[in-house]
């Protein structure tokens, strides 16, 4: 019997408050309203941003269904939806593309005004479609992929190749696209350049893949967890170093290693001190440093203006600079054409009910990206 137009009861990982573990609960998912789609989830990645949402580093509204990196199949659509239909395979978009705001209309911007990085936790209409134990449960980053079913605005999902394996391409919804695009789009890495990547998690490895694809001749990976070095080199890093092995500031170490020739640095940890290290590590005149990792909410940073006065460029990066509805289906097609390998960043695949195990792997530094399947 069709579920269209009916409330669906399903399992979801609910966060009841800050610093609490995910609790597998039965929730009710209401039908989509106008310009919304209800999606049966197939796979979702566990991104560090999801952990940030549990601690308050990334603003969220509780109780919530977390998760923002996912792939599923459209179960039903609301009135006015034209870009997809029931049965279509889709990727969910934590950075939507409404197509009409000033950012979407600008040729080089992708910071859609419909993005929810302030923790509103509701859809465009102003409410949530989730309830649990009689309480409203809120959305996370336009997506809420930690549920067997979710409802999102049409502009926060996009149709992809039906043959694409969900357990692989779900990471194109955030982690891979963010890192790969940081090199390709935001940094515009040029052939023969020297790149340094601070943080070798899933996004950092995706930066490495992007730098290699762009033709960088030297890619230096930096992490305090040396267990990540082998995988980073397999993805394209030419060498890896641990800052703890040195007494000098890492910027001085890199200057000596490269004869003062670092073209691009990428900060992928979200740590304020590391952002400053990355900025100081690129060439004082022609270097470009890109902030890729999520900075802590409401944090501020103080720096010597001479670091940029000499000519350095300091840039931010939202989801790799991609216009998501236009570009992510093309990235899926590129994956299907074997233009890049997502196995470099996917280390574990677990059933959805093992979500706590997935977060434990993240906390222990034993995974790069864990994918949960439904």
């Amino acid at each position: 019997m069709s579920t269209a137009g009916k409330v669906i009861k399903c399992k979801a990982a609910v966060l009841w408050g800050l610093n609490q573990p995910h609790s597998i609960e039965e929730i009710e998912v209401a039908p989509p309203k106008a310009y919304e789609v209800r999606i049966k989830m197939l796979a979702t990645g566990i991104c560090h941003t999801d952990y940030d949402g549990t601690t308050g580093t990334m603003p969220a509204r509780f109780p919530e269904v977390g998760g923002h990196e996912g792939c599923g199949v459209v179960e039903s659509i609301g009135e006015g939806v034209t870009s997809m239909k029931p049965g279509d395979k889709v990727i969910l978009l934590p950075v939507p593309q409404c197509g009409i705001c000033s950012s979407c209309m600008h040729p080089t911007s992708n910071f859609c005004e419909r993005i929810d990085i302030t923790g509103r936790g509701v859809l465009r209409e102003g409410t949530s479609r989730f309830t649990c134990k009689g309480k409203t449960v809120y959305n996370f980053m336009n997506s809420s992929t930690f549920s067997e079913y979710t409802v999102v605005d049409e502009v926060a999902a996009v149709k992809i190749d039906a043959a694409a394996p969900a357990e692989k391409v779900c990471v194109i919804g955030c982690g891979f696209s963010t890192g790969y695009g940081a090199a390709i789009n935001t940094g515009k890495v040029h052939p023969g350049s020297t790149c340094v990547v601070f943080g070798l998690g899933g996004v950092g490895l995706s930066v490495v893949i992007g730098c290699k694809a762009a033709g960088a001749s030297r890619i230096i990976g930096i992490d305090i967890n040396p267990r990540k070095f082998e995988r980073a080199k397999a993805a394209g890093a030419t060498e890896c170093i641990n800052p703890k092995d040195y007494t000098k500031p890492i910027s001085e170490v890199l200057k000596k290693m490269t004869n003062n020739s670092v073209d691009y640095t990428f900060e992928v940890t979200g740590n304020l001190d590391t952002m400053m290290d990355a900025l100081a590590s690129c060439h004082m005149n022609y270097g470009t440093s890109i902030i890729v990792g999520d900075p802590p909410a409401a944090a501020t940073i103080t720096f010597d203006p001479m670091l940029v006065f000499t000519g350095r460029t300091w840039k931010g990066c939202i989801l790799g600079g991609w216009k998501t509805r236009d570009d992510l289906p093309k990235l899926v097609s590129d994956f299907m054409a074997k233009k890049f390998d997502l196995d470099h960043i996917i280390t574990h695949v677990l059933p959805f009910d093992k979500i706590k195990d997935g977060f434990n792997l993240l906390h222990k530094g034993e995974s790069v990206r864990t994918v949960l399947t439904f």
Side-chain angles (χ1 to χ4, degrees):
M1 183 180 296
S2 174
T3 51
K6 301 176 182 178
V7 172
I8 292 177
K9 291 185 178 181
C10 67
K11 298 295 183 181
V14 176
L15 279 171
W16 293 102
L18 279 176
N19 300 309
Q20 295 188 22
H22 290 86
S23 176
I24 301 294
E25 306 277 5
E26 182 179 78
I27 68 168
E28 295 81 41
V29 183
K33 295 187 178 182
Y35 307 107
E36 297 173 359
V37 294
R38 188 161 61 183
I39 297 165
K40 177 178 173 59
M41 294 304 303
L42 298 175
T44 179
I46 296 179
C47 178
H48 199 278
T49 300
D50 297 317
Y51 172 69
D52 291 341
T54 72
T55 63
T57 302
M58 173 64 69
R61 188 175 180 183
F62 299 103
E64 70 159 22
V65 172
H68 67 286
E69 185 181 83
C71 178
V73 174
V74 175
E75 174 269 340
S76 60
I77 60 175
E79 180 182 356
V81 173
T82 59
S83 63
M84 60 195 78
K85 64 183 185 304
D88 285 342
K89 185 172 286 186
V90 295
I91 281 180
L92 286 82
L93 309 175
V95 178
Q97 185 183 350
C98 72
I100 58 174
C101 72
S102 60
S103 290
C104 286
M105 295 293 286
H106 193 278
T108 63
S109 172
N110 74 326
F111 194 79
C112 177
E113 293 176 5
R114 297 278 291 279
I115 189 174
D116 184 7
I117 58 173
T118 60
R120 296 190 308 272
V122 293
L123 302 180
R124 174 189 177 187
E125 182 266 352
T127 59
S128 167
R129 303 292 159 264
F130 301 135
T131 56
C132 181
K133 300 178 180 178
K135 296 181 179 180
T136 297
V137 178
Y138 296 98
N139 297 77
F140 181 67
M141 292 192 68
N142 303 96
S143 306
S144 291
T145 59
F146 293 163
S147 176
E148 292 176 327
Y149 287 84
T150 188
V151 177
V152 301
D153 293 314
E154 178 183 13
V155 299
V158 65
K159 180 181 176 181
I160 61 169
D161 185 342
E167 73 280 5
K168 304 285 188 183
V169 299
C170 63
V171 300
I172 291 177
C174 177
F176 177 77
S177 300
T178 297
Y180 188 74
I184 300 294
N185 299 326
T186 309
K188 293 182 170 54
V189 169
H190 65 270
S193 59
T194 295
C195 302
V196 180
V197 183
F198 288 77
L200 298 175
V203 178
L205 289 186
S206 300
V207 174
V208 170
I209 294 169
C211 291
K212 181 180 180 181
S217 61
R218 193 171 185 184
I219 305 169
I220 303 171
I222 299 180
D223 204 290
I224 60 175
N225 182 355
R227 288 179 294 178
K228 296 180 179 181
F229 291 172
E230 182 179 356
R231 186 171 288 269
K233 290 178 180 178
T238 55
E239 57 216 287
C240 296
I241 60 175
N242 183 346
K244 291 185 175 181
D245 293 338
Y246 302 89
T247 56
K248 293 182 178 180
I250 195 65
S251 58
E252 293 184 19
V253 173
L254 290 166
K255 185 176 181 178
K256 184 176 181 180
M257 284 179 62
T258 65
N259 193 27
N260 191 26
S261 63
V262 175
D263 297 281
Y264 306 94
T265 61
F266 300 85
E267 198 295 316
V268 201
T269 71
N271 181 281
L272 299 185
D273 291 336
T274 311
M275 291 176 192
M276 294 308 307
D277 288 338
L279 179 63
S281 295
C282 67
H283 191 275
M284 64 184 298
N285 178 248
Y286 59 73
T288 297
S289 186
I290 296 138
I291 297 174
V292 187
D294 295 330
T300 59
I301 194 167
T302 301
F303 70 101
D304 181 352
M306 189 61 70
L307 285 168
V308 293
F309 177 76
T310 55
R312 285 184 180 91
T313 300
W314 204 7
K315 304 181 73 174
C317 174
I318 290 288
L319 214 142
W322 304 105
K323 287 186 177 289
T324 50
R325 301 193 86 208
D326 292 341
D327 295 333
L328 264 56
K330 298 174 186 176
L331 281 181
V332 172
S333 296
D334 286 347
F335 167 73
M336 298 296 283
K338 301 185 185 305
K339 292 185 179 180
F340 51 79
D341 185 359
L342 295 174
D343 286 339
H344 288 304
I345 66 173
I346 299 172
T347 54
H348 297 78
V349 179
L350 301 174
F352 174 63
D353 61 3
K354 299 294 184 182
I355 186 171
K356 292 182 181 179
D357 293 342
F359 273 93
N360 285 335
L361 289 167
L362 175 67
H363 296 157
K364 293 178 181 178
E366 295 178 0
S367 67
V368 175
R369 184 59 108 245
T370 295
V371 169
L372 305 173
T373 56
F374 293 85

